[in-house]
């Protein structure tokens, strides 16, 4: 089994080529360029470096959301285009689940948080079985960070936070967490296509596949434009609020 994995759900753009047993190549960029500028060139680079034969690919895995609305659309369009061209299925991996995979083997509760703006974060709660299987304690959701800390306090276990929501949430976490907690180091605190591919391989074995036609991102909540329109704001679109 060989998978191309794509994640452009957050600030990071990351792609990987993986089998069920190894990560053949991974390319991750956390810089100021838009994902539409970086994603396909990155994929082209690792394909050339590994002399990839596209006929050997079994599926396209993509971070299906939540995340940046613009980033999700770019990743989704890229995955759909590749899957249609190669006549392959798509493996939809929840973004927050894939982030949790970065901390494989951690015995504490894992809480990825992505900045969702409007004083909210995208998050979910996870841990791992003794055999290394990811457990979902609370499926990914959008919520105020204070409410998130309250829910974590109720679980009653030490917590590890990671994700691009950490820098903007540190003060609220410090003020409201009643249990021991810590923050993941930089090398495993952002999206990694290798982690996404590892989880996607399990989904592939379980038959959790969709067609390219049926794939669509999971936003979890209305876009900023929809939110503004619903609340009577004059400004209907601001790409910086995606």
């Amino acid at each position: 089994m060989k998978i191309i994995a794509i994640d452009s759900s957050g600030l990071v753009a990351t792609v990987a080529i993986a089998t069920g047993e190894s990560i053949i190549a991974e390319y991750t960029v956390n810089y100021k360029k838009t994902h539409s500028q970086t994603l396909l060139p990155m994929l082209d680079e690792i394909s050339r470096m590994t002399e990839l034969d596209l006929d050997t690919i079994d599926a396209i895995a993509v971070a299906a959301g939540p995340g940046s609305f613009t980033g999700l659309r770019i990743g989704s369009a890229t995955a759909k285009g590749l899957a249609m061209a190669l006549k392959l299925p798509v493996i939809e991996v929840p973004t927050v689940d894939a982030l949790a995979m970065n901390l494989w083997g951690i015995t504490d509760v894992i809480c990825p948080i992505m900045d969702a703006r409007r004083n909210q974060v995208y998050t979910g709660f996870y841990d791992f079985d003794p055999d290394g299987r990811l457990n979902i304690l609370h499926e990914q959701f959008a919520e105020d960070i204070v409410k998130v800390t309250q829910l974590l306090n109720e679980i009653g276990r030490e917590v590890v936070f990671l994700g691009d929501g950490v820098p903007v949430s540190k003060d609220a976490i410090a003020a409201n967490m009643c249990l021991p907690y810590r923050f993941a180091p930089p090398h495993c605190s952002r999206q990694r296509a290798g982690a996404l591919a590892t989880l996607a391989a399990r989904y592939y074995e379980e038959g959790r596949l969709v067609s390219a036609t049926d794939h669509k991102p999971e936003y979890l909540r209305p876009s900023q434009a929809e939110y503004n329109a619903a609340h009577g704001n004059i400004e209907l679109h601001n790409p910086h609020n995606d």
Side-chain angles (χ1 to χ4, degrees):
M1 175 184 54
K2 189 177 291 183
I3 293 170
I4 292 175
I6 299 167
D7 192 334
S8 59
S9 60
L11 300 176
V12 168
T14 178
V15 297
I17 301 169
T19 67
E21 298 180 348
S22 66
I23 306 300
I24 299 171
E26 184 180 37
Y27 193 158
T28 301
V29 173
N30 185 10
Y31 194 60
K32 294 177 287 186
K33 292 185 178 180
T34 65
H35 297 328
S36 60
Q37 294 175 290
T38 58
L39 208 58
L40 285 175
M42 289 163 58
L43 183 57
D44 180 63
E45 178 69 13
I46 63 172
S47 297
R48 288 190 293 106
M49 290 290 290
T50 61
E51 300 177 338
L52 178 66
D53 179 358
L54 292 175
D55 289 335
T56 66
I57 299 298
D58 295 293
I60 308 297
V62 63
S68 157
F69 286 79
T70 300
L72 289 175
R73 286 191 288 266
I74 292 169
S76 177
T78 302
K80 286 171 75 77
L82 285 171
M84 286 180 175
L86 299 174
K87 297 180 173 58
L88 295 174
V90 174
I91 308 171
E92 299 175 329
V93 180
T95 302
V96 184
D97 295 20
L99 261 172
M101 282 295 294
N102 286 359
L103 300 185
W104 184 90
I106 293 292
T107 57
D108 301 321
V109 173
I110 300 167
C111 180
I113 51 176
M114 299 175 64
D115 184 12
R117 304 184 186 274
R118 301 185 220 147
N119 299 315
Q120 288 190 330
V121 294
Y122 298 123
T123 188
F125 307 152
Y126 308 84
D127 66 7
F128 286 94
D129 282 340
D131 63 359
R133 187 180 181 87
L134 181 69
N135 288 322
I136 301 174
L137 305 177
H138 193 306
E139 291 188 353
Q140 58 183 19
F141 61 109
E143 186 55 86
D144 179 89
I145 186 60
V146 174
K147 177 63 176 178
V148 171
T149 59
Q150 292 170 352
L151 294 172
L152 289 168
N153 287 332
E154 292 173 3
I155 294 176
R157 294 167 54 192
E158 187 167 344
V159 180
V160 182
F161 292 96
L162 71 154
D164 62 35
V166 166
V168 297
S169 302
K170 274 189 172 182
D171 289 346
I173 290 171
N176 293 281
M177 282 298 297
C178 301
L179 299 166
Y181 66 89
R182 53 202 165 110
F183 299 109
H187 71 282
C188 54
S189 66
R190 297 293 188 272
Q191 284 86 346
R192 296 287 298 270
L196 185 145
T198 301
L199 191 54
R202 191 183 100 191
Y203 288 4
Y204 184 90
E205 293 172 354
E206 295 173 352
R208 296 169 61 176
L209 310 170
V210 300
S211 69
T213 303
D214 291 337
H215 166 64
K216 59 182 179 180
E218 173 57 65
Y219 296 115
L220 280 189
R221 69 177 197 184
S223 69
Q224 185 68 40
E226 292 169 324
Y227 177 86
N228 287 341
H231 288 76
N233 293 350
I234 295 175
E235 181 185 14
L236 294 181
H237 179 67
N238 181 348
H240 299 294
N241 289 333
D242 276 350

